[in-house]
Amino acid sequence: MNRRIRVLAAKPGLDGHDRGVKVICHGLRDAGMEVIYTGLRQTPLQIVTAALQEDADIIALSILSGAHDYLLPKVADLLKERESEHIVLIAGGIIPEEDIPSLKQKGIREVFGPGTTIAEIVDYIKSSLS
Amino acid sequence: MLALKDIWAAELIIETNREVGFEMSNDNSIDQVRQAKRSWIEKALKRPVERQFSDWGHPVDALYTPDDLADSSYTRDIGFPGQYPFVRGVHPTMYLGRTWTMRQYSGYGTAEETNKRYRYLLEQGQTGLSVAFDLPTQIGYDSDDPLAEGEVGKVGVAVDSLKDMEVIFEGISLDKISTSMTINAPAGILLAMYIVVAEKQGIASEKLRGTIQNDILKEYTARGTYIFPPRPSLRLITDIFEYCSKAVPLWNTINVGGYHLREAGCSAVQEIAFSFSNAIAYIDAGLKAGLDIDSFAPRISWIFNTHNKIFEEVAKYRAARKVWAELMRDRYGAKDPKSWMLRFHTQTSGVSLTAQQPENNLIRVAYQALAAVLGGAQSLAACSFDEAHAIPTEKSVRLSLRTQQILAHEAGVTDTVDPLGGSYYVEVLTRKMEDEIKKLMAQIDDMGGAIAAIENGFIQKEIEARAYAIQKEIEGKKRIVVGVNEYKVAEKVDSPLFKFDPEISRKQIQKLADMKASRDGRKVQEALDALKRAAKGEENLMPRFVEAVREYATLGEICNVLREVFGEYHAVGTL
């Protein structure tokens, strides 16, 4: 790959828990990726617009508020609408196991729960883009 | 006003002159202990032991003995419970007089369901209520706002108007309980609703007991539910101080939080130093608004985080009480001893819980609850073991309450005051912690205080750096998390999890529409117009909130008026 992997990390919705996403931003940067963090309270439209502007390879969404069932598919739908499904959409946070299959069906490629290591996420991102 | 470093430098000089002898008898002098310790180290500690470190990175000795406290004076440095500097507790009899308040944090979905859960918890012996609001409520959006989509009733109960508060407290006499509300940016508005609910029950506001969190500064650095910029936010806070000192005198008008800072990544020392620095900003704002220190300082309460390391947590609370008492007496000249007392609620650490082998969390919570009680907490919430997966079920929240009740009635930890006082280790830790807290507070003071340290990103960067460092320690197995990076099992979580009713949002929006159709629109508009004029001027906004909520103006409508006048906060980028 000629250029560094570009990741847009975002907090969709009103959730203020950003410890996890910030840790992951630092970790992915240390792994050699370019990371743009949107900060809190992003709407799905703001996230997708930013990802396209930044020419992101990956959108990493962090959500711990329980609103994943509504917000994550919205982001996936907007990517489809913009014909940008090449951008790999991944998510992490407090997302119950039983919600994961339907999220995957709707276009979220992988969901990382509590206890995931940064190394696992780095490996996943690299393999998903190769 | 004196800078913190000057106050504390003066004290250091006193310390070097203090009399020698912490509970030493003559035939057992410090020198003898030192000598004996040296020979013990040579003889008994032949094999080198791996050095341990405290939560904030300080090396811990293998053994503590009386010589570690040689320059400490019991009467001056430690003293008695209920007396300055309150190291051993804020009340003379502590739990012998009354056990701590057991206050589980709860609230979800609709007002009706929350009311049902509260009645259940009260029946089970819980002694105070603690309201969790959903995110749209915390950020001042009504349930029908587009930004609220997907969030209504998720992390707490949705409150759009007085109507919802009436339902939440239906059948619960507000003069019989104390209620803590985790609400910050719109705290005054929710308090106004509570006052009006009481009024309708025929209870005067002077009788109401409870707490609003109202601690906006930690929202900018750790929790994220801010609305307005710091300056108007501080005005809202001082308006509440002033209003409540007369109208709701038993109410804890601010609950300054170390809890959320710790969850975001702080060490025990940072938790106390950062939250104390935030409190200094509130106090300075109150004084600038012309309030007398003793008119509002006794109503400042706290929420801290009780984490894994038992002795450090106990030492943290002992040290924090002392630092606070000194600060209030020596820097602010508070005369009322109630102003010197650090009264706190604590919750066990949510971030220490694991999604893996969730039953292990029962054990973690029990140890943390033990530390909280040994640390002299006034009020405690024990996390539930399934929290890393979902909102706790009725059964898991009952287990948390039982954890507290077992401590209170079976474990014997309430039989005497401050049972760990006098432990060489705990006393040394208490002193170290005191020094470290003061050092960090002086650093923030030199920067110009908490607001400056937030605006320049210092606090956020400190928190972020430590959170990342901990993650690296976990991944490198330098920090063992049982069930996560060691002692793992292949498992599927099989405990029943809380199921969220997908209809909640629709029902709530319908209720809101029905309420709007039944209220007097003209009166609502008048109240909102009056609020706007007041917000542009300098008059106290609390009476305006009370008038507006009485007419069923919604939380979103009131916050939108304030947004128009005050503007909105935009986070400082640190990444």
Side-chain angles (χ1 to χ4, degrees):
Chain A
M1 196 171 282
N2 298 330
R3 63 177 196 118
R4 294 204 289 170
I5 295 171
R6 287 173 75 83
V7 179
L8 184 96
K11 288 288 300 177
L14 305 180
D15 180 22
H17 296 92
D18 57 2
R19 176 179 182 152
V21 73
K22 286 178 168 177
V23 163
I24 285 164
C25 287
H26 283 289
L28 297 183
R29 262 181 209 163
D30 282 354
M33 300 179 194
E34 265 183 71
V35 183
I36 303 109
Y37 173 51
T38 62
L40 300 179
R41 294 197 209 165
Q42 301 294 305
T43 63
L45 182 60
Q46 285 172 321
I47 292 167
V48 170
T49 308
L52 296 177
Q53 269 168 8
E54 298 287 349
D55 193 18
D57 304 300
I58 302 278
I59 297 177
L61 301 175
S62 161
I63 185 157
L64 292 83
S65 66
H68 53 271
D69 54 345
Y70 173 81
L71 291 165
L72 302 192
K74 282 258 164 189
V75 177
D77 289 349
L78 283 168
L79 280 180
K80 264 177 230 158
E81 245 174 56
R82 311 280 154 111
E83 294 176 353
S84 298
E85 287 165 277
H86 61 277
I87 302 178
V88 177
L89 181 59
I90 60 176
I94 304 286
I95 298 173
E97 198 76 28
E98 62 189 43
D99 293 356
I100 294 174
S102 91
L103 290 175
K104 284 191 172 172
Q105 249 174 20
K106 289 172 183 159
I108 290 85
R109 297 268 286 275
E110 193 54 87
V111 176
F112 298 96
T116 305
T117 62
I118 292 166
E120 284 162 5
I121 298 170
V122 169
D123 286 347
Y124 176 84
I125 289 176
K126 284 183 177 162
S127 69
S128 73
L129 294 177
S130 63
Chain B
M1 185 177 292
L2 281 171
L4 287 181
K5 63 179 177 198
D6 296 330
I7 297 177
W8 286 328
E11 189 183 290
L12 277 178
I13 296 165
I14 299 168
E15 268 182 37
T16 53
N17 293 329
R18 70 176 120 194
E19 83 248 34
V20 166
F22 178 79
E23 297 293 293
M24 297 296 297
S25 59
N26 291 335
D27 59 353
N28 200 354
S29 76
I30 291 292
D31 283 341
Q32 279 174 310
V33 173
R34 260 189 203 132
Q35 220 171 349
K37 189 175 183 178
R38 230 172 285 138
S39 87
W40 175 82
I41 289 170
E42 278 162 24
K43 283 183 196 141
L45 277 187
K46 276 186 197 132
R47 259 181 298 166
V49 289
E50 194 189 336
R51 196 81 196 253
Q52 299 300 311
F53 290 88
S54 70
D55 173 65
W56 72 94
H58 186 85
V60 179
D61 289 350
L63 187 78
Y64 290 91
T65 49
D67 67 313
D68 291 301
L69 297 165
D71 62 347
S72 177
S73 153
Y74 180 78
T75 46
R76 185 170 50 213
D77 301 335
I78 299 170
F80 289 86
Q83 289 177 13
Y84 186 91
F86 305 104
V87 172
R88 305 202 66 179
V90 289
H91 300 302
T93 53
M94 287 303 289
Y95 307 131
L96 291 166
R98 193 176 80 84
T99 69
W100 62 91
T101 302
M102 300 177 193
R103 196 192 295 278
Q104 295 294 126
Y105 184 49
S106 64
Y108 58 91
T110 60
E112 287 80 2
E113 281 173 289
T114 300
N115 177 259
K116 210 176 112 206
R117 172 80 57 111
Y118 288 171
R119 288 177 181 218
Y120 171 80
L121 285 167
L122 291 169
E123 271 164 34
Q124 295 297 315
Q126 176 162 298
T127 48
L129 294 177
S130 174
V131 189
F133 295 103
D134 73 356
L135 284 166
T137 305
Q138 293 187 48
I139 305 174
Y141 295 116
D142 285 340
S143 297
D144 59 358
D145 193 295
L147 290 171
E149 263 185 280
E151 315 263 15
V152 175
K154 286 278 170 71
V155 302
V157 59
V159 173
D160 292 321
S161 75
L162 179 64
K163 198 100 208 153
D164 296 310
M165 287 290 265
E166 289 168 1
V167 174
I168 291 173
F169 295 103
E170 205 178 296
I172 301 170
S173 257
L174 299 191
D175 54 348
K176 300 277 183 336
I177 52 153
S178 74
T179 301
S180 168
M181 296 192 258
T182 298
I183 193 76
N184 292 279
I189 305 163
L190 273 297
L191 174 59
M193 289 183 189
Y194 194 81
I195 291 169
V196 179
V197 171
E199 186 181 284
K200 293 192 168 190
Q201 288 188 359
I203 296 159
S205 63
E206 288 81 3
K207 284 192 180 161
L208 296 177
R209 285 180 306 120
T211 306
I212 41 175
Q213 202 160 71
N214 201 21
D215 169 20
I216 199 66
L217 293 177
K218 61 97 175 55
E219 298 296 327
Y220 301 133
T221 53
R223 195 169 171 277
T225 69
Y226 44 75
I227 306 177
F228 317 110
R231 200 177 299 268
S233 294
L234 285 174
R235 172 197 170 178
L236 286 170
I237 291 168
T238 53
D239 280 359
I240 293 168
F241 285 171
E242 192 194 7
Y243 178 83
C244 290
S245 69
K246 296 177 191 94
V248 206
L250 303 178
W251 199 267
N252 296 315
T253 47
I254 195 162
N255 186 242
V256 189
Y259 187 88
H260 319 85
L261 298 163
R262 189 75 180 276
E263 288 287 290
C266 281
S267 69
V269 166
Q270 289 170 323
E271 175 188 359
I272 302 298
F274 292 161
S275 58
F276 278 13
S277 299
N278 288 346
I280 287 174
Y282 302 132
I283 290 172
D284 290 345
L287 296 176
K288 213 174 137 198
L291 303 179
D292 174 65
I293 184 74
D294 287 319
S295 77
F296 65 97
R299 301 316 317 169
I300 299 174
S301 66
W302 300 85
I303 173 169
F304 294 117
N305 189 312
T306 307
H307 218 283
N308 282 332
K309 290 197 164 198
I310 295 173
F311 300 108
E312 287 179 25
E313 292 303 310
V314 175
K316 174 182 84 179
Y317 293 128
R318 299 173 91 248
R321 279 192 287 269
K322 186 174 184 207
V323 175
W324 184 251
E326 283 181 15
L327 183 78
M328 295 309 291
R329 195 186 71 171
D330 299 344
R331 185 184 209 182
Y332 288 108
K335 300 276 185 295
D336 184 348
K338 287 201 181 97
S339 299
W340 307 337
M341 289 179 198
L342 185 86
R343 297 170 302 124
F344 68 94
H345 169 79
T346 177
Q347 179 153 339
T348 62
S349 162
V351 85
S352 72
L353 305 183
T354 64
Q356 294 75 12
Q357 303 176 41
E359 297 81 358
N360 294 350
N361 295 328
L362 284 169
I363 317 304
R364 292 189 177 98
V365 169
Y367 287 137
Q368 292 168 7
L370 171 67
V373 171
L374 292 173
Q378 276 59 60
S379 165
L380 171 63
C383 286
S384 295
F385 76 98
D386 48 0
E387 274 183 38
H389 289 282
I391 299 251
T393 61
E394 202 164 84
K395 188 172 179 194
S396 68
V397 80
R398 190 177 66 210
L399 268 170
S400 301
L401 185 57
R402 296 290 180 254
T403 305
Q404 297 203 41
Q405 289 162 336
I406 290 168
L407 265 177
H409 301 293
E410 299 182 15
V413 288
T414 58
D415 295 350
T416 185
V417 176
D418 187 30
L420 286 181
S423 146
Y424 305 120
Y425 179 39
V426 170
E427 295 296 354
V428 167
L429 270 176
T430 303
R431 285 175 56 180
K432 292 256 186 261
M433 195 81 85
E434 179 191 339
D435 292 345
E436 294 294 323
I437 292 167
K438 287 177 173 176
K439 227 189 279 171
L440 186 50
M441 284 177 71
Q443 196 184 344
I444 292 169
D445 203 52
D446 280 348
M447 267 177 216
I451 295 174
I454 291 166
E455 283 171 349
N456 71 23
F458 170 77
I459 292 176
Q460 297 92 313
K461 282 181 201 154
E462 288 285 297
I463 295 174
E464 240 170 80
R466 189 163 183 280
Y468 186 41
I470 289 172
Q471 180 63 25
K472 286 197 283 194
E473 284 172 23
I474 293 171
E475 295 195 18
K477 290 198 185 181
K478 287 200 186 90
R479 187 182 280 258
I480 300 302
V481 184
V482 172
V484 172
N485 62 1
E486 283 283 18
Y487 317 110
K488 294 192 268 191
V489 291
E491 60 171 347
K492 261 199 110 57
V493 176
D494 56 1
S495 55
L497 293 177
F498 178 80
K499 291 274 183 296
F500 192 80
D501 173 7
E503 282 293 287
I504 278 174
S505 174
R506 198 190 52 74
K507 286 183 199 159
Q508 182 67 21
I509 291 170
Q510 186 57 50
K511 269 200 313 187
L512 175 59
D514 294 346
M515 186 283 295
K516 279 186 181 169
S518 69
R519 65 183 183 176
D520 184 337
R522 194 179 52 84
K523 282 189 175 162
V524 173
Q525 198 49 53
E526 278 171 14
L528 293 175
D529 290 343
L531 171 65
K532 190 171 185 174
R533 284 192 299 275
K536 283 180 177 163
E538 285 185 346
E539 75 176 273
N540 194 310
L541 294 180
M542 276 304 294
R544 300 288 165 205
F545 291 154
V546 171
E547 280 164 31
V549 303
R550 194 183 279 133
E551 298 303 335
Y552 294 92
T554 68
L555 180 65
E557 288 166 341
I558 295 171
C559 286
N560 281 341
V561 167
L562 298 180
R563 282 188 182 97
E564 229 182 287
V565 179
F566 295 157
E568 292 187 64
Y569 177 73
H570 298 285
V572 180
T574 54
L575 270 166

